[in-house]
Amino acid sequence: MTAPVTAPAGPGRDVPAVRVLARTGAAEWTRLWTVRATWWFLLAAALVWIGIGALAGLESAGDAAQGDPAWVVASVAAMPAQFLLLVLALTAVTGDHATGGIVPTLQWTPRRTVLFAARTLVPVAVTTTLAVLLALASAGTAWVAARPVLGLPAGEGVEVLATVALVVAAGSALAVGLGFLLRSTAGALIAVVLLMLVLPLFLPQFPYDWTAALAEVLPGSGAAFLLLGEVPGMTQASAVGALLAWAGGALLLGWLRLARDDANR
Amino acid sequence: MIEVRGLTKRYGDVLAVDDLTFDVEPGKVTGFLGPNGAGKSTTMRMVLGLDRPTSGRALVEGRPYAALAEPLRAVGALLDPGAVHPGRTGRSHLRVAARTNGVPQRRVDEVIELAGLGRAARRRIRGYSLGMRQRLGIAAALLGDPRVLLFDEPVNGLDLDGVRWIRALLRRLADEGRTVLVSSHLLSEMQQTADRLVVIGRGRLIADATTEDILRGLGTARVRVRTSRADELAAVLRRHGATVERTGAAELEVGGSSAEEVGELANAARVPLSHLSAVARSLEDAYLALTGSSVEFPGGRTEPAGTATGVTP
Ligand SMILES: Nc1ncnc2c1ncn2[C@@H]1O[C@H](COP(=O)(O)OP(=O)(O)OP(=O)(O)O)[C@@H](O)[C@H]1O
Ligand SMILES: [Mg+2]
């Protein structure tokens, strides 16, 4: 071949693990933004979040009750909108398995724990940042649309944005972990919807204690408690605990599968 | 240099690769030959750390592939050209690859030229023909200017120009002193490009020798003869240096002598013949016979394939 790549590039030369991780992270960043799906999910999340903000703002504009914080709107809108970001994170993982792209991926990054770390950190950081920005935009839109009915107190804003960040970060980690574990977009999507939406909603409807107890330890109940604050029997601690435990468990199982299994089984 | 040592892979009941041992040396094109399902792709995937061997190991430049921090600078590989995300452009695909291994981005445009992708590189892979995907895979393989290259069936689906281009590329890479392993299920293809052949069948090594030796071994004329006194005739023929294979209760297949010689020897020994004919065997037939019945041969033999049809009294 014509041009040598860089001067001292012995094939076996060692590169600090941190640099390998940074490179893999940069590659994951490029991977994420060079597929259209990412942009579509981002657009849809923005529409839902800001759209609900605008509608809620317009509705409260006619209300007499003065001074309610616009942040509540952003928090409530996060409940449906988070799913679009979760799917964004999920397809960042499963897309490669569905298309066979995992073969070149692992060829280029054969250290699987490095790939796992980069492929977890980048999508989770991206969705969390987007969630904070979109929640901010949603509250701002509601505030503008309702002027001068709603307030926008800074202290409460920080609290709501931190909560949204926590919920979306944990939810995305769960989605990423399930993506690594199940390797199929449909399968992981069904699991996420069951755990985050369907089961937390339906289990408490049955007249048994154990279904109610089970519902309380699901990540969706934790998210609902933190965002909406209307889940009987839950506390701040149990909600955060449920979210983090599920996220951590899914990531652990996902890492085990990626580290041990053949590339494209 | 690629070293494969006792490599074995089992998928459930299927023994895809069975105790393979061979070396691939630099400066040569080594053909990796075997019929469909022989285990070529599986072997390559294990060399690249994609599949975990059931036992045994494979080293590239003396190290396991998965231990390389910058694998693209050591090893380039083309596996399934369809296994790429179709939503990306060819160029973004290569940019991601370059990022992962710290290869400068300007190299991306170089390999796009080198592989003849041209303006297609800016289109989404979804719309690529098989030949373009193949070229994209080759561009990725060349990205890090590696010393070792693996190509899994690179001429599949290519037109004549594409095939010629691949052949010239393989030759050039080997002449530059690189290690080149290229798989195929077509002997005729390998005949044109490979200096050495590693032949496998049903996961086992059948032959590992120069292409010339293997072709010579496969090409020898054979004679079919039937007689009720097959054992007696076999002994006579063997005494005269022929190789004899028992193909039926009263049938022998003889290598290393002509039909006339067999007839004369039988006559001299007063063995009556009921049938005598030369067996026409094309190279492909011979190769199919060789790999088709490979499971009967002990693994790990490194003789030219011609001797694989030894005496079976
Ligand atoms: N992931 C898998 N799960 C189960 N069996 C597999 C898997 N991959 C390969 N096999 C089996 O292993 C054997 C070898 O397959 P492999 O793809 O390595 O053959 P090959 O020599 O590349 O064939 P071809 O010329 O068709 O590409 C086959 O019997 C195949 O069915
Ligand atoms: Mg194959």
Side-chain angles (χ1 to χ4, degrees):
Chain A
M1 270 164 297
T2 44
V5 180
T6 46
R13 82 176 168 154
D14 270 311
V15 178
V18 181
R19 170 134 12 121
V20 178
L21 181 62
R23 283 174 178 172
T24 313
E28 285 305 303
W29 173 266
T30 310
R31 275 200 180 97
L32 194 60
W33 296 111
T34 48
V35 294
R36 279 195 191 146
T38 306
W39 294 97
W40 286 120
F41 288 127
L42 168 56
L43 184 68
L47 281 178
V48 170
W49 224 319
I50 298 171
I52 292 180
L55 289 178
L58 289 174
E59 204 169 301
S60 13
D63 274 4
Q66 287 271 331
D68 276 354
W71 297 113
V72 176
V73 175
S75 188
V76 170
M79 201 54 210
Q82 62 165 334
F83 282 98
L84 294 158
L85 296 179
L86 264 46
V87 179
L88 189 161
L90 187 147
T91 50
V93 176
T94 55
D96 236 7
H97 290 282
T99 60
I102 188 68
V103 169
T105 297
L106 284 174
Q107 223 172 286
W108 305 337
T109 309
R111 297 178 183 183
R112 303 209 177 174
T113 300
V114 171
L115 180 73
F116 175 81
R119 191 158 277 189
T120 302
L121 289 174
V122 170
V124 171
V126 164
T127 52
T128 306
T129 309
L130 288 175
V132 170
L133 293 176
L134 291 177
L136 198 61
S138 172
T141 309
W143 179 73
V144 170
R147 230 168 13 180
V149 176
L150 299 180
L152 207 56
E156 196 162 332
V158 171
E159 198 178 305
V160 166
L161 293 184
T163 303
V164 166
L166 171 74
V167 169
V168 170
S172 301
L174 173 71
V176 165
L178 289 171
F180 277 120
L181 179 64
L182 302 175
R183 296 189 170 182
S184 122
T185 306
L189 199 59
I190 289 170
V192 167
V193 171
L194 279 179
L195 290 171
M196 293 295 290
L197 192 67
V198 175
L199 293 179
L201 219 54
F202 282 97
L203 281 184
Q205 312 294 324
F206 295 104
Y208 309 110
D209 286 345
W210 66 268
T211 53
L214 186 59
E216 273 174 33
V217 298
L218 290 177
S221 307
F225 176 85
L226 292 174
L227 294 174
L228 310 175
E230 288 169 5
V231 182
M234 290 200 80
T235 64
Q236 180 91 8
S238 75
V240 173
L243 268 176
L244 294 184
W246 277 92
L251 284 179
L252 178 67
L253 292 178
W255 171 72
L256 284 174
R257 172 120 203 241
L258 181 70
R260 283 154 181 257
D261 221 348
D262 291 345
N264 59 346
R265 288 267 246 147
Chain B
M1 179 86 173
I2 303 171
E3 296 154 77
V4 171
R5 294 287 173 272
L7 207 57
T8 302
K9 180 70 184 181
R10 185 180 279 285
Y11 295 107
D13 306 337
V14 182
L15 192 54
V17 173
D18 185 3
D19 195 21
L20 268 191
T21 297
F22 63 89
D23 286 340
V24 187
E25 287 160 8
K28 292 175 195 149
V29 175
T30 301
F32 193 26
L33 193 60
N36 293 132
K40 305 180 295 292
S41 302
T42 305
T43 303
M44 289 188 161
R45 284 203 304 275
M46 286 193 284
V47 171
L48 295 168
L50 293 166
D51 284 11
R52 183 186 292 269
T54 306
S55 63
R57 67 203 171 107
L59 300 180
V60 213
E61 305 287 47
R63 302 178 65 181
Y65 184 88
L68 298 169
E70 298 178 322
L72 286 186
R73 293 180 190 271
V75 186
L78 169 74
L79 295 181
D80 177 4
V84 280
H85 199 302
R88 257 179 221 111
T89 65
R91 198 158 179 282
S92 336
H93 177 76
L94 294 171
R95 275 177 49 222
V96 170
R99 284 248 144 99
T100 53
N101 278 244
V103 173
Q105 293 291 317
R106 66 179 154 74
R107 178 70 183 158
V108 167
D109 295 314
E110 282 175 24
V111 292
I112 285 173
E113 280 310 303
L114 208 62
L117 267 178
R119 280 188 311 172
R122 295 194 180 265
R123 297 212 313 267
R124 284 178 197 280
I125 298 170
R126 195 187 311 285
Y128 281 22
S129 66
L130 179 54
M132 277 152 74
R133 282 174 204 237
Q134 207 81 280
R135 283 173 188 264
L136 178 65
I138 287 168
L142 298 179
L143 195 63
D145 199 16
R147 302 295 304 161
V148 177
L149 289 133
L150 286 85
F151 297 101
D152 194 7
E153 314 243 7
V155 301
N156 254 8
L158 290 190
D159 58 18
L160 199 57
D161 272 352
V163 171
R164 287 210 189 99
W165 176 73
I166 294 266
R167 283 186 196 148
L169 177 73
L170 295 174
R171 176 51 44 214
R172 184 156 56 89
L173 292 168
D175 289 347
E176 287 168 354
R178 298 173 209 267
T179 304
V180 181
L181 181 66
V182 48
S183 82
S184 175
H185 58 274
L186 295 175
L187 177 65
S188 50
E189 176 55 37
M190 288 293 93
Q191 215 173 322
Q192 313 237 16
T193 33
D195 305 309
R196 270 192 90 79
L197 289 179
V198 172
V199 186
I200 65 169
R202 302 190 207 175
R204 292 188 154 204
L205 189 70
I206 294 172
D208 175 3
T210 65
T211 309
E212 223 171 77
D213 281 352
I214 287 183
L215 291 181
R216 199 180 305 126
L218 286 178
T220 48
R222 300 180 67 75
V223 177
R224 178 169 300 139
V225 56
R226 286 194 205 111
T227 170
S228 51
R229 287 154 61 189
D231 288 336
E232 204 179 323
L233 181 62
V236 171
L237 291 170
R238 239 172 263 142
R239 234 183 352 258
H240 286 82
T243 57
V244 183
E245 186 181 358
R246 189 73 177 253
T247 48
E251 189 182 271
L252 303 174
E253 227 180 88
V254 188
S257 66
S258 67
E260 289 80 7
E261 286 166 350
V262 172
E264 275 168 24
L265 286 171
N267 193 33
R270 294 176 192 281
V271 175
L273 300 183
S274 57
H275 174 94
L276 175 67
S277 67
V279 184
R281 227 184 195 187
S282 75
L283 283 179
E284 291 292 333
D285 284 347
Y287 160 67
L288 280 179
L290 188 65
T291 52
S293 57
S294 61
V295 86
E296 296 169 12
F297 301 119
R301 75 185 302 153
T302 52
E303 289 305 303
T307 58
T309 43
V311 181
T312 45

